Amino acid sequence: MSPQGKEVSPRGKFGAAITGKTGSEDGPEPKEPAVTTSATTAAARPGDNGVEHLDVLIVGAGLSGVGAAWRLRREHPGRTIAILEARDAIGGTWDLFRYPGVRSDSDMFTLSYPFRPWRGEHSIATGESIRDYIRDTAAETGIERLIRFRTRVVGASWSSADARWTVRTEVAEADGTTSSRTCTCSFLFLCTGYYSYDHGHQPEFPGRDDFAGRFVHPQFWPVDLDHSGKRVVVIGSGATAVTLVPAMAETAAHVTMLQRSPSYVAALPGVDKLADLARRRLPADLAHRLVRAKNVLFSQAFYQLARRRPTQVRKALRDLALRFLDPTAVDEHFTPAYDPWDQRLCLAPDGDFYRAIADAKATVVTERIDRFVESGIRLASGKVLEADIIVSATGLDMLAFGGVELTVDGRHVDPGATVAYRGLMLGDVPNLAFSIGYVNASWTLRSDLAARYVCRLLGHMDRRGWAVATPTPKDVGRQRPLLDLTSGYALRGAGRFPKQGERGPWTVRSNYPAELLSLPRADLRRDMTFAPRATARRAQPAEVTA
């Protein structure tokens, strides 16, 4: 069911919010609620000057935002919650990207929610099936009714005197106009991803206007683009290019992938046979947990092996490529200068990328661009790649927190000048969390841990009477990028994102099994400054150490 144009709630000018009984972190975690088609709703509380006030405001209705809302409803049903979504649909990345062949670059048993088993046939799933999965989850759990669509958050200002965020939004009205609105919240949870939805990374190619054919970026795929029988050049060597090439090669006259330097491409089965066996023999929830655990352990073991024995993993990846291509092609185009997992690995389900090359439907060229010409692209060697369509799969434009401008007591917060606390909060920024995934595993694994941590923190604040929680940097050690990769997009955007330190709790461990054990038990008081409700309006909070 499409959420577009749906009225969220007749109460409150911003829509619905969940309310009920307050949860607790003490004792075993609450039992997961049964999937339902309705939700208990109530209008958010009016705040000062009639401005709507919410306990928790989530920004973004993608994979992270929907998951965070589910966790908050489960563990804190007494809080008022809303999700603000700039676009007019649920799904985030999986609704935005519509290029041919778009799919996950990690398995769905770890990319899916732990509370809602993946029941699709393919372990490496299509973008459409992932989008449907997120939308169905939101609809069946009642989270869909919490979402305010076409509501872009442009700024959020924290007031220590009021112990709350004032959130400024721009709402796209049905008549095409835009109106400004304001609400307040006690806690702000940014689930906005890590890149700009408004534009991708686009290098300036000399002579681009001379090209007589179609030039497109995968982030904004034209609905009218028919590549059947056309000559296609895909610029890039990342996950998007590796996905596009076999998908377009099915009907194109020929597809050429033009890369500046080689990347690793891992050929893995598109269907998990062990998962299929488990789902046939075991209850769905148990099968999901077992397959999820198996995939987590396998991916983490492979990552650790790559970091500790890079030469061995290089050979294994080369041997995989040699199953499809001759040694000369593998050495020239698929033997990078960097070690495995210095950059994120590209994934080819059932080797479809390599098969397209082996079947002569696609070609890989490793060379630099001189300039665009009328008939295609002239390379540095002087050779011209003729094309009817050029796809610029040149990456994402990194953007922290969806571009939301943050201030704390009038002080501008530059995300690039902050240090991340446990990889989910910001040093010296009160009552704010953000969601970002692992670089070496499925996004949802880390985003769900972040949501669970926020729930624990809120429960701790309730029991102790705190209104404000501010991570306070102390001895963080040497700082380094939060996304610790050498990929082009990560290097380009490193200065726009928080840093991490070298000592806990100011570092991020790229190890889900370890964090699964440690983060739910982490000391909530460590390097955290709290202020009680009674003194929340004071200029300086009281530090709590016990």
Side-chain angles (χ1 to χ4, degrees):
M1 179 173 60
S2 172
Q4 300 181 22
K6 180 176 180 180
E7 183 173 342
V8 177
S9 170
R11 291 169 288 187
K13 67 179 182 180
F14 273 88
I18 291 293
T19 187
K21 183 179 178 182
T22 303
S24 169
E25 73 170 326
D26 295 322
E29 290 189 349
K31 184 179 180 181
E32 295 185 2
V35 174
T36 178
T37 56
S38 63
T40 303
T41 59
R45 298 187 302 272
D48 298 336
N49 302 319
V51 174
E52 179 191 29
H53 179 76
L54 296 132
D55 291 322
V56 182
L57 191 61
I58 299 169
V59 183
L63 198 60
S64 301
V66 171
W70 187 91
R71 285 289 178 192
L72 284 161
R73 284 190 58 208
R74 176 197 178 199
E75 301 186 30
H76 293 279
R79 281 185 157 81
T80 53
I81 304 167
I83 305 174
L84 304 187
E85 168 56 49
R87 305 175 73 245
D88 58 3
I90 296 170
T93 291
W94 303 108
D95 180 72
L96 175 67
F97 285 92
R98 303 295 184 101
Y99 59 81
V102 59
R103 64 194 178 205
S104 62
D105 63 350
S106 54
D107 74 277
M108 283 304 301
F109 296 99
T110 56
L111 187 64
S112 60
Y113 299 116
F115 56 84
R116 189 168 186 267
W118 172 251
R119 292 185 170 87
E121 176 185 357
H122 296 280
S123 176
I124 306 302
T126 65
E128 182 180 6
S129 63
I130 301 172
R131 180 170 65 250
D132 290 343
Y133 170 81
I134 301 170
R135 290 180 177 178
D136 290 346
T137 301
E140 292 174 11
T141 58
I143 291 169
E144 182 184 51
R145 301 193 310 185
L146 301 180
I147 305 171
R148 298 116 187 251
F149 295 99
R150 298 179 292 278
T151 303
R152 180 185 298 273
V153 177
V154 295
S157 303
W158 172 263
S159 167
S160 294
D162 297 322
R164 62 179 50 177
W165 288 96
T166 297
V167 179
R168 304 182 306 281
T169 67
E170 292 179 351
V171 180
E173 306 291 357
D175 61 2
T177 62
T178 301
S179 62
S180 298
R181 300 185 190 178
T182 300
C183 64
T184 62
C185 65
S186 299
F187 198 95
L188 185 61
F189 200 167
L190 302 174
C191 299
T192 52
Y194 63 97
Y195 66 90
S196 171
Y197 277 47
D198 296 329
H199 50 83
H201 174 65
Q202 184 55 72
E204 288 296 326
F205 294 118
R208 175 177 153 183
D209 292 340
D210 296 339
F211 177 54
R214 295 285 298 271
F215 179 86
V216 300
H217 193 285
Q219 191 164 330
F220 307 101
W221 197 263
V223 295
D224 65 340
L225 182 61
D226 181 8
H227 62 273
S228 299
K230 303 293 179 60
R231 299 164 300 175
V232 180
V233 173
V234 178
I235 303 173
S237 59
T240 300
V242 170
T243 299
L244 274 165
V245 168
M248 299 188 77
E250 291 180 2
T251 58
H254 192 78
V255 178
T256 301
M257 187 176 89
L258 173 59
Q259 60 179 9
R260 185 173 52 187
S261 59
S263 293
Y264 292 108
V265 179
L268 295 177
V271 175
D272 189 328
K273 293 182 179 180
L274 181 60
D276 288 347
L277 177 63
R279 289 190 288 188
R280 286 197 303 268
R281 301 288 181 85
L282 300 172
D285 288 349
L286 177 58
H288 181 75
R289 290 191 182 99
L290 289 175
V291 176
R292 185 182 179 91
K294 182 263 295 183
N295 290 356
V296 164
L297 293 175
F298 175 81
S299 63
Q300 186 58 221
F302 181 77
Y303 175 78
Q304 293 298 332
L305 182 64
R307 305 316 288 162
R308 300 177 187 186
R309 301 282 192 274
T311 302
Q312 185 176 342
V313 174
R314 273 176 173 265
K315 182 180 184 305
L317 291 171
R318 185 175 187 276
D319 288 345
L320 277 175
L322 287 173
R323 294 182 183 180
F324 304 91
L325 306 177
D326 64 74
T328 301
V330 173
D331 291 340
E332 181 178 358
H333 303 301
F334 302 107
T335 306
Y338 59 86
D339 286 335
W341 276 115
D342 282 350
Q343 299 183 19
R344 194 174 173 98
L345 293 183
C346 296
L347 184 62
D350 299 317
D352 61 353
F353 173 75
Y354 287 137
R355 291 183 190 279
I357 299 170
D359 293 341
K361 296 179 179 179
T363 303
V364 177
V365 174
T366 303
E367 196 172 338
R368 291 184 174 272
I369 295 173
D370 175 40
R371 63 176 289 114
F372 281 32
V373 294
E374 182 178 4
S375 61
I377 299 174
R378 189 170 68 206
L379 304 176
S381 63
K383 178 182 177 180
V384 174
L385 298 179
E386 296 190 347
D388 304 302
I389 300 170
I390 297 176
V391 182
S392 182
T394 46
L396 305 168
D397 186 24
M398 301 285 282
L399 182 66
F401 314 141
V404 176
E405 294 185 2
L406 301 173
T407 63
V408 173
D409 295 326
R411 171 180 60 86
H412 173 68
V413 177
D414 176 7
T418 63
V419 184
Y421 177 83
R422 301 194 190 279
L424 55 90
M425 298 181 74
L426 297 177
D428 294 324
V429 179
N431 290 26
L432 179 143
F434 64 94
S435 182
I436 197 162
Y438 290 112
V439 297
N440 65 332
S442 292
W443 179 275
T444 320
L445 295 175
R446 199 21 157 89
S447 68
D448 187 61
L449 284 179
R452 292 171 61 185
Y453 187 90
V454 168
C455 290
R456 282 187 63 221
L457 178 62
L458 293 175
H460 178 78
M461 293 168 68
D462 284 348
R463 287 188 305 280
R464 299 299 181 93
W466 310 135
V468 181
T470 309
T472 307
K474 293 181 180 178
D475 184 16
V476 303
R478 181 180 60 87
Q479 296 184 19
R480 56 194 174 92
L482 183 64
L483 298 174
D484 202 7
L485 291 172
T486 62
S487 305
Y489 71 90
L491 294 176
R492 288 192 303 268
R496 307 174 195 170
F497 277 75
K499 306 298 187 292
Q500 61 172 306
E502 60 181 354
R503 301 182 183 91
W506 302 95
T507 187
V508 178
R509 301 176 69 182
S510 296
N511 188 323
Y512 174 71
E515 287 206 317
L516 180 63
L517 295 175
S518 63
L519 201 56
R521 297 169 178 79
D523 186 354
L524 295 166
R525 302 166 300 175
R526 186 179 178 186
D527 290 4
M528 186 73 75
T529 301
F530 293 95
R533 300 186 194 284
T535 59
R537 290 178 178 270
R538 296 177 184 174
Q540 296 295 327
E543 183 172 1
V544 177
T545 58

